[in-house]
Amino acid sequence: MSATPPRLDGLSLLGSGTGAPGGMIWRGFSTAQDAALEPAFHSASLAELDHAAELARAAAPALAAASGADRGRLLRAIAQNLEANVAALAARAHLETSLPLARCEGEIARTCGQLRMFAETAERGAWGDARIETAQPERKPLPKPDHRSMLRALGPVAVFGASNFPFAFSTAGGDTASALAAGNPVIVKAHPAHPGTSELTARLVLDAVSQTGFPEGTFSLLFDAGHEIGAALVSHPAIQAVGFTGSQPGGLALMHLAGRRTIPIPVFAEMSAVNPVFLLPGALRERGDAIAAGLHQSVTLGVGQFCTNPGLVVVPRGADAAAFLVRLAAAFAGSSAEPMLTAGIHAAYEDGIARRLATSGVRVLARGAAGAAHRAEATLFATDAASFLRNCALAGEIFGPTTLAIECDDPAEMLAVARAMDGSLTATIHAGAGETCAEMLAGLAERAGRIVFNAFPTGVEVSSAMVHGGPFPATTDARSTSVGTRAIDRFARLVCYQGFPDAMLPPELQAANPRGVPRLVNGIASV
Amino acid sequence: MSATPPRLDGLSLLGSGTGAPGGMIWRGFSTAQDAALEPAFHSASLAELDHAAELARAAAPALAAASGADRGRLLRAIAQNLEANVAALAARAHLETSLPLARCEGEIARTCGQLRMFAETAERGAWGDARIETAQPERKPLPKPDHRSMLRALGPVAVFGASNFPFAFSTAGGDTASALAAGNPVIVKAHPAHPGTSELTARLVLDAVSQTGFPEGTFSLLFDAGHEIGAALVSHPAIQAVGFTGSQPGGLALMHLAGRRTIPIPVFAEMSAVNPVFLLPGALRERGDAIAAGLHQSVTLGVGQFCTNPGLVVVPRGADAAAFLVRLAAAFAGSSAEPMLTAGIHAAYEDGIARRLATSGVRVLARGAAGAAHRAEATLFATDAASFLRNCALAGEIFGPTTLAIECDDPAEMLAVARAMDGSLTATIHAGAGETCAEMLAGLAERAGRIVFNAFPTGVEVSSAMVHGGPFPATTDARSTSVGTRAIDRFARLVCYQGFPDAMLPPELQAANPRGVPRLVNGIASV
């Protein structure tokens, strides 16, 4: 931790100004220390939200018109500012989330990597999908007009970060980075579980905005102890799209609010996922012990607080599965009890475990060290396929270090379980050498955004090819991803210009291609 | 017309079978002849809908796995079958829609062009956006896994055609073609205004399905006199997405139904649009007469029954505008009264005109030949900007050959009118030589999917660069288009495969690239 922790004001950041003290106040909370953290944070007023929204609206044209190179400079400046303040950021996040300091530092590095990836995406410009069809005035029966189209910024985007990634999915995380890269102002509703981390990060984003000459409305941060400001933000006429990572009730509430607006807007909510893991007979026979060790690590990593945490493990009944479950149970029994992100998350975990303990047909195979004072007791459950298929509550997510093994009598039952799965971010298959699973693979590809083979779903590579999304209820928009370069597509829309003089076109569509973006000209790729 | 009109059964086509006679029946209707047409058409039952949905569900895996070349063969076979039956198709459509025979023939040619464009899109495979990130097992701090992703088919798609394009936006129109190209089975709810045209077209689609060896559930056509089957179709668990072209109440009803499903699905509804036209002073000065002639043609073309029909004309008050309006009024006064598509559309037109006639601040500048017996009386209205800005009803669409001129006192008022516009499919600017309009252009680009310069919005080129979409209420998904190659993106979702053996990957992601699709490999474009 740095010698002098940086000053925190606890006030919303409305462009270059701040909100007023007052309104409902609250404090961050350390579950590891069971103690509230200074200072107090002050909820924004509706007038302050209006002000932030008007600043964003005023900033939108400049951002939309900025070149990819300029947007890249902004994103790179944010990354640089974060890197220059790793110690202070990680220290505060460690306090507010009880995540290990090294994990906080690593997550800042990942966040900077994301920012630079979107900088490069903006700089290259291929994402804008510029297309040109040139005129054919002599064509019969009708002349063909010149027309050109590309993706353009939507306008102000509201971002709701997640509690479990105080950097990578929060204030300057993937949603913010991709929305800025597409040329949209961003208003972040700070996650109340890490308000100090949010304030520190937001200050560094705002420093980058002013360092690179973007208008102040490019970015604002709003605090709120409750849900009022978030709801008003999604309903505000200036807001054109929403990025959200968090719980299913939270995501659905925003989706319904957005759908009830006079002008509905898209909500890209990444919500719950159970991330089922299917272990085929050959895999258990060949390497059951290794899978047990890997699975235990995947379930308990980060106190099980990952969107991609495997919540179901489907096994074929038999001696290999029995040995595997014994091994997995031993690993669970040896789990330490670690503090969860918030007292509320811990209470919900305890609740979910208690309900599952009371479910008929479900038995406990192992529990880790006893949980107390916000610490989670890792728990391994087991049931049979018939019980699972009868009780849809068993397909629900318990957020934390627990998983449910489902024993199946035969391959047909495993397939039935696969087909009963809700939409999920991931689905995993472990197979033995030469073992085929085409039907299961096809079924899972209909239900998940990413299929993992002979590995574990936790750990989401940030790249051009990653898909972190999936069918409802994993997300509200199965066609999108919130991780990887394709995340930028969420925050843009197509605009076509027909018959325009060259000088009036956006630079990306002008004859000379002054921004050097890849384009499709009369259907042929051209740079 | 062919000597022997082809037989019509009036029954739903459930894959290769048919629905039973019974249920509510109705007939096509010729507004030109003021007469009902034989035969009777029979509404599908809910059980028949279920059967069509199950056939589609069963066909989905084969379609999703089919190569782009195979999907292309299907689409080209449909085009070929339509072309071999132009006379019969056009004759029936001419009867059912009262659109001129030549227009019906031209629309079939356009529809075949669309089918072949999507065939080529499927064959090239670039739309699938295949991306490969190869493993780096030695990378620090964590190894990078091999992962590969692409767009994959969604599953059965429901298509609701439009009354005003009995071919290009109906049974085998753009929604059907793009959904099939992406690898999805299609169930069309036939438009009740051209049931015979729908049946004839559907038979030719089904012939193509069997000629190219696709499963029968690839395509079905459902008839319904009312809304029950359409609503049940959108609510059916097998349906994964909806394409719709039609009225705003219809589109909104489907959007709300889809949002209330246990698993919500996307609805791509192209609804109403007013398509404002802005005439700058220089344009009126230089070529007011030509603009008046062109605008009159654009407003009255096809009895004004185009989604892109210009419903508002914004002019700067002055001598040039006065002369322009006199000229435009003369053209309107000379308009003949032509039969509209349906009696209901004509009644709604009369209603809209009557309401506008009674609106304070609105005056009639000219009316064409008197409308009677389903024929529309072309009508030119005028108002001033202050009246327009006070009364949001004036920004609403009246479907038919009418437009409203808005006289503005100065450029600021024109800009205010531009900023008060609802989302629209198009917005048009006419400018004089060297006349700039950067602010207005920026405002309109926020409100329309296509901006037209010195031309008219009717006539939608089918191409790689066309955007036929726009902000709500023009569509329910401003990020998409229903015309042009990009329409295929609506009916697919991203799936990522991590760590898979080559042989288990979809061919598009295998090392040898057996389908020869363009790919992004470690961020670099590669064929």
Side-chain angles (χ1 to χ4, degrees), chain B residues 256-272:
Chain B
H256 292 310
L257 273 174
R260 281 200 299 269
R261 289 167 52 117
T262 310
I263 297 180
I265 56 172
V267 173
F268 301 99
E270 188 236 290
M271 306 180 291
S272 57

Side-chain angles (χ1 to χ4, degrees), chain B residues 62-455:
Chain B
L63 263 122
S67 68
D70 283 338
R71 293 180 203 160
R73 261 188 287 281
L74 170 61
L75 293 162
R76 291 181 194 280
I78 297 171
Q80 213 162 355
N81 291 352
L82 293 178
E83 280 169 352
N85 292 274
V86 169
L89 289 164
R92 180 74 193 184
H94 171 58
L95 272 180
E96 290 183 328
T97 65
S98 299
L99 293 169
L101 196 60
R103 147 73 197 268
C104 293
E105 290 165 354
E107 195 184 319
I108 296 170
R110 173 188 164 155
T111 305
C112 294
Q114 291 175 175
L115 286 158
R116 293 203 172 93
M117 182 190 74
F118 284 114
E120 196 180 317
T121 302
E123 287 155 1
R124 288 194 181 180
W127 77 274
D129 192 25
R131 300 188 181 190
I132 294 175
E133 292 275 340
T134 52
Q136 295 174 12
E138 311 302 328
R139 195 185 61 178
K140 302 289 171 205
L142 290 169
K144 176 183 167 190
D146 181 289
H147 57 292
R148 300 156 185 246
S149 56
M150 61 183 283
L151 287 164
R152 305 224 54 184
L154 287 177
V157 171
V159 170
F160 293 74
S163 62
N164 59 341
F165 278 91
F167 299 104
F169 287 83
S170 191
T171 311
D175 283 352
T176 295
S178 56
L180 290 173
N184 305 286
V186 169
I187 301 179
V188 171
K189 157 67 174 61
H191 199 289
H194 50 264
T197 310
S198 301
E199 180 180 335
L200 293 178
T201 307
R203 289 189 184 282
L204 298 169
V205 173
L206 285 162
D207 287 350
V209 168
S210 90
Q211 285 154 9
T212 52
F214 278 87
E216 58 165 339
T218 299
F219 184 85
S220 288
L221 177 78
L222 299 174
F223 285 119
D224 189 21
H227 298 300
E228 191 193 10
I229 288 296
L233 182 61
V234 170
S235 304
H236 197 286
I239 297 298
Q240 300 299 317
V242 178
F244 169 91
T245 309
S247 71
Q248 190 174 330
L252 294 183
L254 297 189
M255 180 181 93
H256 292 310
L257 273 174
R260 281 200 299 269
R261 289 167 52 117
T262 310
I263 297 180
I265 56 172
V267 173
F268 301 99
E270 188 236 290
M271 306 180 291
S272 57
V274 291
N275 305 297
V277 174
F278 292 81
L279 305 179
L280 302 190
L284 285 175
R285 193 168 55 240
E286 291 171 17
R287 51 178 201 285
D289 287 0
I291 295 172
L295 183 64
H296 172 254
Q297 191 190 23
S298 184
V299 172
T300 56
L301 190 74
V303 206
Q305 300 168 126
F306 285 106
C307 326
T308 52
N309 190 50
L312 295 172
V313 186
V314 188
V315 298
R317 200 187 295 282
D320 292 326
F324 162 79
L325 288 174
V326 165
R327 190 79 175 212
L328 187 61
F332 266 83
S335 300
S336 57
E338 302 295 337
M340 297 193 82
L341 291 159
T342 70
I345 285 174
H346 179 253
Y349 177 71
E350 296 270 274
D351 220 57
I353 295 292
R355 259 203 302 267
R356 193 150 287 179
L357 286 167
T359 303
S360 87
V362 175
R363 55 197 204 282
V364 180
L365 296 190
R367 304 205 72 181
H374 318 305
R375 282 159 171 80
E377 189 169 343
T379 308
L380 173 63
F381 293 101
T383 189
D384 57 284
S387 300
F388 176 80
L389 292 170
R390 256 200 315 271
N391 183 354
C392 64
L394 291 176
E397 184 189 16
I398 299 178
F399 190 71
T402 182
T403 197
L404 171 64
I406 305 172
E407 292 175 288
C408 299
D409 287 336
D410 52 39
E413 209 171 50
M414 282 186 87
L415 201 57
V417 169
R419 290 182 174 154
M421 290 291 161
D422 281 341
S424 191
L425 293 170
T426 71
T428 297
I429 300 174
H430 282 261
E435 201 164 36
T436 58
C437 53
E439 258 190 306
M440 174 169 294
L441 176 55
L444 294 179
E446 286 179 23
R447 286 166 182 79
R450 179 168 55 111
I451 320 294
V452 179
F453 189 78
N454 285 359

Side-chain angles (χ1 to χ4, degrees), chain A residues 475-489:
Chain A
T475 76
T476 50
D477 184 305
R479 297 177 306 130
S480 67
T481 175
S482 63
V483 174
T485 55
R486 285 180 180 118
I488 196 173
D489 300 344

Side-chain angles (χ1 to χ4, degrees), chain A residues 317 360-363 381-385 387-388 394 404-407:
Chain A
R317 200 186 296 281
S360 88
V362 175
R363 56 197 204 282
F381 293 101
T383 190
D384 57 286
S387 301
F388 175 80
L394 291 177
L404 170 64
I406 305 173
E407 290 175 290

